[in-house]
Amino acid sequence: MKVLVAMDGSKYGHWALNWVAKLPLISPPNVTALHVLDSASLQLLPFRTKLEAQREEARAARTLKKATQQLASLKLTGTAREEQGAVAPTILKRAPDRNGLLVVGTKGLNALDRFLLGSVSTKLIEHAPCPVLVVKGEAVPLRRITLATDGSPASAKALEFVLSTFQPDRSTGKGRRAPIHVSVIHVTARRPLAPFEVGITIPWIKQRKLKEKETGQKLVERSAQELIDAGFAAEPLHRQGNPAERIMQVASQQHADLIVMGAKGLGAIDRFLLGSVSTRVVQHAHCAVLVVR
């Protein structure tokens, strides 16, 4: 698997590389640690002196050196490289195809950079051709995953990513292994009535909600069984309410190390009513988030 790790000299870039080493990948990754020297922001800041530009270049050199050393210490196959340009577009240009992985920190070096560049991680999850892992803390052994599903093609790919990319068990020391636990959650969203539903009898609406609940339960049960058959430990969960909030709530309750979800939901109407669920989860979840498209 080809893996691109975005490095910017911050602790988030350091954490991102550690996450690659900790992930229970079936096949060894081939890693490129990429540092982007943001020439675009330098041009937008005429008050930055030549000395400050030189400091940026020196910081980039230190980042590359540390990334090379970190790759070696983690025994990861790969290289560190530098490019110039706008940060998000340059990373997207070098991102692997759909069979690869892009790893990025949720924040950059400082508030000024974030103000100037916007949320790089948000741009990446919206436009990258491959799955994107957004890390928020130091890497940990992957023990518990919250997998969100809604029956969409993207959520089906999220399930397939877990099944095809991760080893189903982990080492617990002294040669013992334990299955990774996956909580499969489907959220039935509470949405406002459509115009054609106004005036319809309450029993009809209740019947519709019951059907939605049954569909959601069957979906998570089927997904959980696929995971169990592959060697994972899994449990199906069905919730009602705001999808982003319920996904994060379950992840918190289950002490999840990682949330895995699709980049898009079932349809444009749902996205319009609910907002971008994956973007909200990436922005507000307390654990790492993997967005699959």
Side-chain angles (χ1 to χ4, degrees):
M1 169 184 278
K2 291 184 178 179
V3 178
L4 180 68
V5 180
M7 309 285 290
D8 65 353
S10 71
K11 62 183 180 182
Y12 290 92
H14 177 80
W15 289 342
L17 209 48
N18 284 342
W19 265 94
V20 177
K22 286 280 189 180
L23 287 174
L25 299 174
I26 293 175
S27 58
N30 190 318
V31 184
T32 298
L34 175 66
H35 175 77
V36 180
L37 184 59
D38 187 25
S39 57
S41 72
L42 294 177
Q43 294 172 0
L44 289 173
L45 292 174
F47 56 85
R48 282 193 177 182
T49 64
K50 183 178 180 180
L51 177 60
E52 287 173 318
Q54 292 173 341
R55 287 175 179 169
E56 293 281 351
E57 293 173 354
R59 186 180 74 185
R62 290 195 301 271
T63 299
L64 287 178
K65 182 179 179 179
K66 289 181 179 179
T68 300
Q69 294 172 341
Q70 191 177 354
L71 283 168
S73 66
L74 294 172
K75 298 181 179 179
L76 290 171
T77 300
T79 59
R81 61 182 297 174
E82 175 192 317
E83 294 197 18
Q84 292 189 12
V87 176
T90 303
I91 294 172
L92 288 170
K93 182 180 178 181
R94 296 302 177 189
D97 61 22
R98 62 182 182 179
N99 297 315
L101 179 65
L102 172 58
V103 187
V104 63
T106 189
K107 296 179 182 178
L109 279 170
N110 54 52
L112 178 59
D113 285 338
R114 293 197 296 275
F115 175 76
L116 290 169
L117 304 176
S119 174
V120 172
S121 59
T122 298
K123 293 178 182 177
L124 296 180
I125 65 171
E126 291 176 349
H127 301 292
C130 62
V132 180
L133 172 62
V134 181
V135 305
K136 302 196 172 196
E138 184 56 274
V140 296
L142 200 57
R143 297 169 297 179
R144 303 184 73 87
I145 297 173
T146 295
L147 173 65
T149 182
D150 65 355
S152 66
S155 65
K157 290 177 182 177
L159 171 62
E160 179 58 30
F161 184 93
V162 174
L163 290 168
S164 63
T165 308
F166 292 156
Q167 298 179 24
D169 54 10
R170 60 185 176 83
S171 173
T172 59
K174 297 182 179 180
R176 293 175 296 183
R177 303 189 69 83
I180 295 173
H181 184 277
V182 185
S183 299
V184 186
I185 176 174
H186 173 79
V187 182
T188 300
R190 294 193 179 102
R191 59 182 179 84
L193 294 177
F196 71 87
E197 294 175 324
V198 176
I200 293 178
T201 60
I202 292 178
W204 187 92
I205 296 175
K206 286 184 177 180
Q207 185 179 12
R208 185 203 69 191
K209 290 182 177 180
L210 180 60
K211 185 177 180 180
E212 289 175 348
K213 182 179 179 180
E214 291 175 349
T215 300
Q217 288 176 334
K218 289 180 181 178
L219 175 62
V220 292
E221 288 170 1
R222 183 170 62 249
S223 299
Q225 189 59 54
E226 286 189 54
L227 288 159
I228 292 170
D229 292 343
F232 293 87
E235 64 173 327
L237 299 172
H238 180 267
R239 297 289 187 270
Q240 289 186 323
N242 180 282
E245 291 178 2
R246 291 293 176 264
I247 292 167
M248 290 186 286
Q249 182 184 59
V250 166
S252 178
Q253 292 171 344
Q254 300 285 336
H255 304 288
D257 304 305
L258 176 68
I259 296 172
V260 182
M261 61 192 307
K264 295 181 180 180
L266 279 171
I269 294 178
D270 286 338
R271 291 198 296 275
F272 176 76
L273 292 171
L274 305 174
S276 174
V277 175
S278 58
T279 299
R280 291 174 65 184
V281 172
V282 165
Q283 291 173 341
H284 301 293
H286 294 297
C287 64
V289 182
L290 174 63
V291 180
V292 182
R293 66 176 64 254

